[in-house]
Amino acid sequence: MCRWLFCEQIVIKACIKFPLFEYNEKKDFGSGEFFLQLNKIKLHSCTTFASAQSQITLDDDYNVPDYRPDIVKVLKEKGELQFDEVKAAAGAAWLKGRLVFKVLYRSDQDNAKISCLKGEIPFQEKLNMDGVQEYDVIQASGEIEDLTIGVIHSRKISVRAVILLKTEEPREKEDELCVGIEADDGCEKRYRNTNILQLLCMKRDQCRQKSEITLPSSKPNVQEILWKSLEIRNLDTKMGQDGVKLSGEVLISVLYQEEEETDRVQWYETVIPLDCGVECDAGTEADIIYKVKARTASMELEVKPDYDGEERVLVLELVMNLDIRVWKEQEISMLEDVYSLKQEIIPVCTGVTLHHISVKNDSQCRLTEQMELAESQEKILQICSCEGTVHLESTELTEQGVRAEGILVTELLYITTDDQMPIGSAREIYPFEQLIEIPQQTARTERNKLEELEALERKNKLQTELDCRISQLSAVMLDQDHVEIKAVIGLDLLAFEQEQIDNITDTREEPLDMEQLQKRPGLVGYIAKDGDSLWSIAKENHTTVEDILRDNHRTDEDLRRGEKILIVKKVELNSYES
């Protein structure tokens, strides 16, 4: 039984770029001779409109091609998902694709002890997605949760895979925030300063790299590639003037049959730099915040002849899917409340959710484990390759931060001490756990009940995105039965804090109730209570904050419980004033 993880995302090249504060919408309101204007800006954000997932099982038998030798024992298997079509329908998404599997096995033929085969199983699945329409753009990905390949007999194998399919429809969301008001006769306004996270760019694209590697003179020519291991390490993404740049390393390991009469198995490994990128015109400000999800769409390695016609050149073609989002956080002043002494102004508010970057943290989890071979396995003479996949099992938001738990699947391919069975493999699963701290989320040793409630409220308002990858993986032979495994797992956390606020979207204007207003006393002595502010007192008593400050010979608006203030009613309506 073998467990693999592979993700592939259907990419449609699309780039949405938004101006930061270039849009200013003004809406007019009229009531008689009284005139109001609301000034607004547009806030762009991205959200997942709909998503779905489904687990399917693929089970099929596969006949060994006639040109391949008989199978004695399966050494290694590998699977990947390829999507041929992703189509939206009314309330659903249709996925059509293939499970491509590869098998390295031992043969009973003396001149071909090691061989390989490749096959595929097609699949088609419907995932229900409420609200999706026919021409919507759907993104699809998949994970091979389990892959088991068994030998039925020497000419037939059984292939069974458990696959988790995921679909989502990301959309750009637009909200209008009220940042000011204009009135022909003036009005009292209260503003609040807040930070908004403005989406500058949302883009999906692909970057490609093609490299050629010539075998060293000490290695014989290639007759056939039996097995290849292609893995990206130390992946780093940077946003610059020219766009998004990817850097890192590509580890290439190849098991092949040499082009000689002996048909011996040879092993070659090398490392080449990863250097590719895409254009992204989202600005180069130092305070921009960006997130780039880079996933391997395909990595192909083929052999071609050199200038002398000998099969000695390895050609690598790499395709990476990129999901790019760029934000800018900036402080603005939003209109929080408004009233007038000449007209009854009633603000109409709707709730809007603002997002703030709480933390952008790239942490690392280091593992050091020891792999021990079973007694039935062949002894190790030399390690050929060490492949790994990392799977994030669960994430939990705690008072200290985000706790991540997952597994690292490590597979070895090695040369054995037995000449009759020259190649062996071993596999082990190692769990890992890492706590990624979030500022202001770290718990204190002792909390009172109020602080505990505030911490719980903050926890519920945090939205996190966590990606994991293998940055480094190595295997060191200790003896013929033991191997030391060292790994560095990269965990990229982006945490958003959500804030729900009331946003003024409209106003209603009504004439003042003069009869009710005249019944109120013209002079009031007031004792401040908890929660009072000069703004709320002035609005309730039909005056202004400036008048209260002047009448009470005050210079600051801070109001403490028990303070006594004098309030003088003020009315301005045509010729009436008191």
Side-chain angles (χ1 to χ4, degrees), residues 419-438:
D419 292 338
Q420 299 300 318
M421 295 294 182
I423 301 296
S425 63
R427 178 178 179 272
E428 196 62 68
I429 298 176
Y430 303 108
F432 69 88
E433 180 179 321
Q434 181 77 1
L435 177 65
I436 308 169
E437 292 187 355
I438 298 178

Side-chain angles (χ1 to χ4, degrees), residues 301-550:
L301 187 70
E302 304 292 340
V303 61
K304 76 171 189 177
D306 60 9
Y307 291 112
D308 298 327
E310 298 180 336
E311 301 286 336
R312 301 187 56 81
V313 179
L314 301 176
V315 181
L316 171 69
E317 292 190 8
L318 170 65
V319 181
M320 300 287 292
N321 287 340
L322 302 182
D323 186 1
I324 306 168
R325 288 174 292 167
V326 185
W327 301 273
K328 184 180 178 66
E329 195 167 39
Q330 186 163 337
E331 184 178 6
I332 65 169
S333 293
M334 288 186 60
L335 183 65
E336 189 174 30
D337 197 5
V338 60
Y339 70 92
S340 173
L341 302 180
K342 299 182 179 181
Q343 186 90 343
E344 187 73 24
I345 302 177
I346 304 172
V348 178
C349 299
T350 58
V352 63
T353 301
L354 300 182
H355 293 83
H356 314 286
I357 295 291
S358 180
V359 63
K360 189 175 186 293
N361 190 343
D362 298 338
S363 62
Q364 293 182 335
C365 177
R366 300 181 181 273
L367 293 178
T368 300
E369 302 286 349
Q370 191 174 113
M371 178 184 291
E372 182 178 2
L373 297 185
E375 293 183 359
S376 59
Q377 287 187 271
E378 295 82 4
K379 306 299 181 183
I380 300 176
L381 179 64
Q382 179 184 346
I383 297 175
C384 296
S385 72
C386 178
E387 296 180 89
T389 55
V390 62
H391 180 48
L392 197 61
E393 296 279 351
S394 64
T395 58
E396 179 186 6
L397 188 60
T398 68
E399 292 180 345
Q400 292 81 21
V402 177
R403 186 180 304 279
E405 296 181 357
I407 58 172
L408 171 67
V409 182
T410 305
E411 298 190 71
L412 293 182
L413 190 66
Y414 60 89
I415 299 175
T416 72
T417 57
D418 186 358
D419 292 338
Q420 299 300 318
M421 295 294 182
I423 301 296
S425 63
R427 178 178 179 272
E428 196 62 68
I429 298 176
Y430 303 108
F432 69 88
E433 180 179 321
Q434 181 77 1
L435 177 65
I436 308 169
E437 292 187 355
I438 298 178
Q440 302 176 7
Q441 187 76 4
T442 304
R444 299 176 182 175
T445 306
E446 296 182 356
R447 290 181 183 266
N448 57 34
K449 293 298 182 181
L450 178 60
E451 289 175 330
E452 290 179 356
L453 291 175
E454 290 176 348
L456 179 61
E457 182 182 3
R458 178 177 174 83
K459 172 181 175 181
N460 294 332
K461 290 182 178 179
L462 279 177
Q463 176 186 352
T464 60
E465 296 181 11
L466 184 61
D467 300 322
C468 64
R469 67 183 187 280
I470 299 177
S471 296
Q472 299 177 21
L473 180 63
S474 64
V476 178
M477 179 178 170
L478 302 178
D479 55 43
Q480 293 183 339
D481 294 310
H482 297 86
V483 177
E484 184 182 61
I485 304 294
K486 289 187 176 181
V488 178
I489 300 173
L491 297 166
D492 301 335
L493 173 66
L494 184 61
F496 300 90
E497 184 177 356
Q498 301 179 77
E499 180 186 7
Q500 188 75 20
I501 66 170
D502 289 330
N503 177 47
I504 298 177
T505 58
D506 203 342
T507 60
R508 298 200 316 269
E509 298 79 44
E510 299 176 358
L512 290 175
D513 188 347
M514 295 305 302
E515 181 179 352
Q516 183 66 28
L517 191 59
Q518 289 175 357
K519 291 180 181 180
R520 292 187 180 184
L523 190 64
V524 176
Y526 187 84
I527 301 176
K529 305 185 299 293
D530 289 336
D532 280 340
S533 66
L534 288 186
W535 173 269
S536 62
I537 294 173
K539 184 177 181 180
E540 177 68 22
N541 291 275
H542 209 77
T543 185
T544 67
V545 173
E546 291 77 7
D547 288 339
I548 293 178
L549 291 175
R550 184 189 66 245

Side-chain angles (χ1 to χ4, degrees), residues 37-40 178-182 189 191 333-335:
Q37 248 182 11
L38 290 181
N39 298 330
K40 299 181 180 181
C178 185
V179 295
I181 188 170
E182 298 176 9
K189 296 164 281 189
Y191 291 90
S333 293
M334 288 186 60
L335 183 65

Side-chain angles (χ1 to χ4, degrees), residues 51-243:
S51 63
Q53 65 179 34
S54 176
Q55 187 183 71
I56 64 173
T57 300
L58 301 179
D59 198 345
D60 200 1
D61 296 339
Y62 182 81
N63 294 320
V64 178
D66 295 337
Y67 58 88
R68 290 296 181 187
D70 292 347
I71 294 179
V72 173
K73 180 181 179 181
V74 174
L75 294 176
K76 284 179 71 68
E77 60 271 315
K78 181 183 296 186
E80 65 182 45
L81 294 177
Q82 295 182 2
F83 291 96
D84 299 323
E85 184 179 5
V86 178
K87 184 171 63 173
W94 283 95
L95 306 184
K96 185 178 180 181
R98 297 164 290 157
L99 167 66
V100 180
F101 61 89
K102 302 173 185 177
V103 182
L104 181 70
Y105 65 92
R106 290 174 179 167
S107 170
D108 62 347
Q109 295 185 13
D110 295 336
N111 61 348
K113 295 185 176 67
I114 305 296
S115 188
C116 63
L117 61 86
K118 178 181 178 180
E120 61 184 46
I121 302 176
F123 65 85
Q124 184 171 339
E125 188 72 10
K126 176 185 177 182
L127 279 72
N128 293 323
M129 300 177 68
D130 293 337
V132 171
Q133 299 300 320
E134 181 177 357
Y135 297 104
D136 291 343
V137 178
I138 304 297
Q139 295 185 21
S141 63
E143 299 176 6
I144 303 177
E145 295 188 329
D146 184 74
L147 176 63
T148 303
I149 296 181
V151 179
I152 299 176
H153 54 72
S154 61
R155 304 302 300 173
K156 180 180 287 188
I157 60 174
S158 63
V159 181
R160 186 179 187 276
V162 179
I163 298 174
L164 181 64
L165 299 175
K166 299 179 181 180
T167 57
E168 65 176 12
E169 183 191 356
R171 285 188 181 181
E172 181 265 330
K173 182 182 178 184
E174 185 178 272
D175 292 303
E176 294 180 340
L177 304 181
C178 185
V179 295
I181 188 170
E182 298 176 9
D184 54 358
D185 287 333
C187 56
E188 301 301 312
K189 296 164 281 189
R190 183 172 68 173
Y191 291 90
R192 58 168 291 178
N193 293 330
T194 186
N195 290 327
I196 62 171
L197 191 64
Q198 185 76 274
L199 180 67
L200 300 182
C201 178
M202 184 170 63
K203 181 177 183 179
R204 297 181 299 275
D205 209 336
Q206 287 185 334
C207 64
R208 302 172 183 269
Q209 177 173 322
K210 184 175 182 179
S211 304
E212 294 187 357
I213 307 102
T214 303
L215 293 177
S217 58
S218 59
K219 291 291 184 180
N221 296 345
V222 179
Q223 176 176 307
E224 181 187 14
I225 295 178
L226 300 175
W227 194 259
K228 53 193 175 185
S229 172
L230 308 172
E231 297 195 318
I232 296 177
R233 295 288 182 263
N234 299 316
L235 179 64
D236 187 31
T237 57
K238 296 291 186 183
M239 176 75 71
Q241 293 183 351
D242 299 330

